[in-house]
Amino acid sequence: MRIKIIKPCSCSQPPVKTGSFFRKSDSKYIQRWKCPICKKTFSAATGNLCFAQKKRRLNPLIQKYLLGKVSQRRISIFLKINRKTVARKVIFLGLKHHLSRINYLEKYRRQKTLKLQFDDMITFEHTKCKPVAISLLVEEGSRKILDFEVSSIAANGRLAEISRKKYGKREDHRRRGWEKLFRRTQSIIDEKAHFKSDEYPLYADVLRKYFPNSTHEQFKGRKGCVVGQGELKAGGWDPLFSLNHSAAMIRDGLGRLVRKTWCTTKRLDRLRDQLEIYIDYHNRVLTPP
Ligand SMILES: [Zn+2]
């Protein structure tokens, strides 16, 4: 594999070799380079996403465990590493797969997509009194998850009053989330695209704002067919199958989204990181090319 050398200065002369060092974390010799003009030294590792990592050998393994519903605490026991190391790896892998997903979407810039489905998946942070919406945009047919957004929402039903009493008024950021998502995806979706969703009143409104020339079909919400898998619908053919099936796969793939679990989300940015890790894998490996 050719390693791209990133020169940290903008001097005109090419860098010269200046020794090497042994990197213990993956048992590799790394070439050091020097700029003949400003004398700055750097190596093939400079600027790499894994720069300064001491446990880089474990990255692929941790990713596998995270995608296999293993809790962070159990991963730390399996691999004999500290819990904080695992927590830091979630952030690193989140960034890595975010970049990978953006890269994957490049092909949609050349050929914009025409058929989409979207909806919110509900989970929570810390307690059911603090629900969170995961807004998902899926390409119909291929089931590729093009984009997502995580927004806090207010509790409703039986928990609404308890939630207000205990944690105060909780703001609803769902509209803001969908606005961000549609603004971001304007470059990969055809302006005359066809969208499908359920009848949640907010959807038509936000969609019209960012895709005024698109068509939008809304379907009545349906009951789930399996307890704890509300996304898989009972009663035969589901018009929102691409979306619901992808959502069900997310719920099954990430420990913290399985119902009645001990794994819960404590921070929304970490939920985002784990979604990035899952969605990149979903798009590249789990769904047909
Ligand atoms: Zn220089």
Side-chain angles (χ1 to χ4, degrees):
M1 193 184 85
R2 228 184 92 239
I3 296 168
K4 210 176 131 216
I5 298 149
I6 299 159
K7 218 163 142 234
C9 63
S10 49
C11 309
S12 55
Q13 279 197 33
V16 291
K17 283 184 179 177
T18 172
S20 66
F21 65 92
F22 181 72
R23 186 162 69 191
K24 225 166 83 181
S25 68
D26 61 352
S27 312
K28 271 188 186 147
Y29 284 95
I30 308 295
Q31 181 68 48
R32 284 207 70 82
W33 300 84
K34 189 180 189 176
C35 171
I37 299 172
C38 70
K39 311 289 181 216
K40 258 191 189 145
T41 66
F42 51 95
S43 77
T46 314
N48 189 294
L49 211 55
C50 298
F51 181 72
Q53 285 193 16
K54 291 195 171 68
K55 301 255 186 257
R56 68 185 75 213
R57 229 190 278 256
L58 297 178
N59 291 343
L61 205 53
I62 293 174
Q63 189 209 349
K64 263 185 208 157
Y65 281 138
L66 287 172
L67 291 166
K69 278 188 277 193
V70 183
S71 67
Q72 293 186 30
R73 193 176 291 261
R74 190 61 51 88
I75 294 173
S76 77
I77 299 171
F78 281 166
L79 300 178
K80 298 192 176 69
I81 53 177
N82 197 288
R83 270 187 296 135
K84 279 169 280 186
T85 312
V86 183
R88 286 188 195 116
K89 290 294 186 192
V90 171
I91 303 172
F92 159 73
L93 289 169
L95 173 65
K96 185 182 160 197
H97 291 283
H98 168 73
L99 298 173
S100 171
R101 179 172 65 86
I102 299 300
N103 197 6
Y104 183 81
L105 293 180
E106 274 303 310
K107 69 173 183 185
Y108 289 96
R109 258 176 237 286
R110 293 189 294 275
Q111 187 161 21
K112 296 188 178 184
T113 170
L114 277 159
K115 284 185 174 171
L116 297 119
Q117 300 182 359
F118 63 94
D119 198 4
D120 288 298
M121 243 175 115
I122 307 299
T123 178
F124 58 89
E125 49 176 331
H126 163 230
T127 148
K128 284 235 165 142
C129 291
K130 295 182 188 170
V132 168
I134 303 173
S135 308
L136 288 175
L137 181 66
V138 173
E139 186 183 33
E140 189 174 291
S142 73
R143 289 188 279 117
K144 306 283 180 197
I145 302 169
L146 301 183
D147 208 345
F148 74 95
E149 193 56 60
V150 172
S151 336
S152 58
I153 55 174
N156 62 6
R158 200 168 50 83
L159 286 173
E161 204 185 324
I162 304 171
S163 169
R164 265 195 302 277
K165 219 182 252 169
K166 234 174 154 176
Y167 304 104
K169 193 173 179 296
R170 188 169 163 85
E171 277 180 64
D172 202 313
H173 292 304
R174 197 181 327 204
R175 172 181 287 270
R176 205 178 65 183
W178 277 110
E179 295 215 358
K180 270 202 262 179
L181 197 152
F182 281 136
R183 200 179 313 130
R184 270 202 308 258
T185 47
Q186 272 173 332
S187 59
I188 56 168
I189 297 173
D190 197 278
E191 58 167 340
K192 290 201 174 76
H194 184 66
F195 289 87
K196 288 180 185 171
S197 74
D198 64 20
E199 289 174 324
Y200 193 69
L202 168 94
Y203 294 159
D205 199 38
V206 184
L207 190 64
R208 216 176 303 128
K209 191 168 164 191
Y210 292 92
F211 293 94
N213 300 322
S214 68
T215 47
H216 186 200
E217 213 177 334
Q218 290 183 292
F219 300 89
K220 222 171 141 62
R222 291 199 342 214
K223 259 206 184 119
C225 67
V226 186
V227 175
Q229 277 286 15
E231 282 81 18
L232 288 178
K233 303 299 178 191
W237 190 75
D238 177 9
L240 297 172
F241 176 81
S242 292
L243 183 116
N244 287 327
H245 195 268
S246 289
M249 283 176 79
I250 293 183
R251 208 178 272 293
D252 188 61
L254 293 182
R256 61 173 68 193
L257 295 179
V258 176
R259 299 291 174 94
K260 310 226 162 161
T261 170
W262 270 16
C263 303
T264 59
T265 294
K266 277 85 181 178
R267 283 178 59 166
L268 290 190
D269 42 355
R270 298 298 164 263
L271 171 63
R272 259 183 221 117
D273 288 331
Q274 287 224 341
L275 283 167
E276 291 282 11
I277 298 169
Y278 174 79
I279 288 173
D280 189 38
Y281 185 68
H282 176 96
N283 287 346
R284 287 178 187 270
V285 183
L286 296 180
T287 47

